[in-house]
Amino acid sequence: TLGSIQAMAVVEARLSYGLNATKMDLAEFYTGNAATAPSVTPLYGLGGDLLFNIPMMGWGVGVRYENLGLKASNGPLEFAASLNRTAVVGYYRFIDTVLFLGPIASFGLSHKGEMNVSVSGNQISAFSSTATSSYSIGFEGGIRLVGFVLGVELGTLTSKFSNVSDTGSAALG
C-alpha cells in the first residue's frame, strides 16, 4: 500500500565484490620499452560495509573496507597491484522500502597501495605510497529479500597516490 511505513534494519552489514575500471598507464612504472607494458585489467576484490540507518529518514552512515587488486602481463613482463582502503560512507535513499535507490559517497580514511613489476619472475620494482587520498560517488539500488539484500552500486572511485617510493631492485631496460 502506498504511504505505509515498513520496519527496516537500523544496522546493515554488507559483503561486496567490486570491479573497477582504471585509467592507470602501466608504462609509467617500467623504464624499458613502454610498448611492452600490458593493457590494464580492472581492479577487482572483496569488500564490506557496516551501515547505520536513520529509521524512516532515508539517511545513513557507515564504514567501508575494500581490498582491491589487479594482475596484468605481456610476455615476461608482469604487474601486480593491491589497494586496501578503509572509508567513511554516507548515503541517502529517496526510495527506501522493499526496494531502495539513492546516491552514495565515501571518503578514504586509511590506505595501503602497492605495485610490483617483474620480468621473467624477477622483481624489478616494488612501488608503495605513504600518502594516499580517495573518494567515491555513485548510486546504489537493490531489493530486500528474506534475510539478505541484493543490490548494485555504480559510480566512480578516485585515488591519488603521493610520496611514491620504489623499494625494488634496479629496473631493467
Side-chain angles (χ1 to χ4, degrees), residues 155-173:
T156 182
L157 168 65
T158 300
S159 297
K160 181 174 178 149
F161 296 88
S162 55
N163 298 335
V164 176
S165 61
D166 182 1
T167 58
S169 59
L172 302 175

Side-chain angles (χ1 to χ4, degrees), residues 33-122:
N33 181 357
T36 62
S39 298
V40 174
T41 58
L43 287 167
Y44 58 90
L46 295 175
D49 295 347
L50 182 61
L51 304 174
F52 301 92
N53 303 311
I54 301 171
M56 299 182 289
M57 299 292 289
W59 293 97
V61 296
V63 177
R64 170 174 289 175
Y65 175 77
E66 296 173 299
N67 182 358
L68 304 171
L70 75 77
K71 290 187 179 188
S73 63
N74 186 7
L77 185 58
E78 299 176 352
F79 292 79
S82 67
L83 171 64
N84 294 315
R85 177 178 182 259
T86 303
V88 63
V89 177
Y91 61 88
Y92 176 71
R93 294 176 177 163
F94 51 83
I95 297 175
D96 196 18
T97 59
V98 173
L99 300 173
F100 62 91
L101 180 67
I104 187 167
S106 70
F107 181 78
L109 300 174
S110 173
H111 306 82
K112 181 180 180 188
E114 298 176 340
M115 162 99 52
N116 295 310
V117 182
S118 60
V119 175
S120 300
N122 297 315

